[in-house]
Amino acid sequence: MDRVAIVTGGTRGIGEAISLALKELGCKVAANYAGNDEKARAFTDRTGIDAFRWDVGDHQACLDGCAAVAEKLGPVDIVVNNAGITRDGVLAKMNFDDWNEVMRINLGGCFNMAKATFGGMRERNWGRIVNIGSINGQAGQYGQVNYAAAKSGIHGFTKALAQEGAKFGVTVNAIAPGYIDTDMVAAVPAQVLEKIVAKIPVGRLGQAEEIARGVAFLCSEEAGFVTGSTMSINGGQHMY
Ligand code: CAA
């Protein structure tokens, strides 16, 4: 599959697994990252995948970053909006910055990346956008009004943009991961996480590669009839 793909937050965690899965499909992959140059360099050394630094919450930075990728690798056919942060806390303790940063990066990032790439996909009559939502955007989660709102927004964004892309061969889908064995989940207090894992019917955390396989399918040539859908990959924790 000779396509150019950008994976936001693509150098670590679920993003790294997605970058690798798309490379395995034959794509030329650009892995975006926000700040950790050292980890990004180590990622490139390990995988041979180019890493590009910009903040997905910054509109102009996305336009410039996507242009830089296109200049180096060619027109962008696939975007995986994976970059995301948590700023967990109950509403009483959450400040406006905690709310705003999560909305700016997790949801705003999807808009910014689509603005930078959707037009070109439409003109070339082929494109794939996969947005990484969350079980917590579907079901809500104590201590996450910001994150749950942003991830829920991603699911609405996906269905709306899918309708705009359909007649141009551009599919837009979401994946809603459950609790995956990453740094983000490792930051949940151990006694809280233990209770969450006890509610996962499969009986364990997911692996990043289990999300990446879903993304690879949605990006494939064969998935052209799948659009506006949400694939839940959560070990049966939330069936909906
Ligand atoms: N339901 C009901 N009550 C809960 C609860 C829950 N799920 N979690 C905590 N509480 C209660 C506690 O029992 C406690 O009650 P009491 O005061 O009566 O004893 C009260 O809330 C305060 O709990 P904490 O001591 O934990 O409060 P805190 O202010 O120190 O921390 C928190 C609150 C930050 C929300 C913490 O509980 C937490 O980090 N929870 C995990 C949130 C979570 O799951 N985040 C997911 C991150 S990973 C991710 O987001 C990836 C993805 O997409 C899945």
Side-chain angles (χ1 to χ4, degrees), residues 29-70:
V29 180
N32 150 270
Y33 70 102
N36 195 326
D37 291 322
E38 202 181 308
K39 283 206 169 140
R41 254 193 310 276
F43 163 85
T44 299
D45 291 346
R46 215 165 43 244
T47 62
I49 295 172
D50 290 328
F52 293 77
R53 180 174 171 163
W54 75 84
D55 172 3
V56 296
D58 178 333
H59 189 73
Q60 189 59 46
C62 282
L63 300 179
D64 296 343
C66 291
V69 171

Side-chain angles (χ1 to χ4, degrees), residues 88 93 134 136 141-144 147 178-179 184 188-189 192 196:
D88 292 357
K93 292 186 196 166
S134 168
N136 294 347
Q141 169 62 41
Y142 190 101
Q144 282 200 312
Y147 186 88
Y179 282 72
M184 185 184 273
V188 175
V192 177
I196 291 170

Side-chain angles (χ1 to χ4, degrees), residues 186-197:
V188 175
Q191 72 281 10
V192 177
L193 190 57
E194 207 175 291
K195 286 191 192 138
I196 291 170
V197 175

Side-chain angles (χ1 to χ4, degrees), residues 56 81 104-115 131-132 154 157 161:
V56 296
N81 285 310
R104 187 181 76 82
I105 293 170
N106 296 16
L107 184 55
C110 293
F111 175 80
N112 295 335
M113 289 299 294
K115 283 295 282 183
N131 301 315
I132 304 300
I154 285 177
F157 175 89
L161 192 59

Side-chain angles (χ1 to χ4, degrees), residues 57 85 87 94-108 146 150:
I85 62 165
R87 291 275 186 90
M94 187 178 288
N95 62 35
F96 181 71
D97 254 13
D98 297 330
W99 166 264
N100 204 39
E101 272 301 275
V102 169
M103 295 305 283
R104 187 181 76 82
I105 293 170
N106 296 16
L107 184 55
N146 50 2

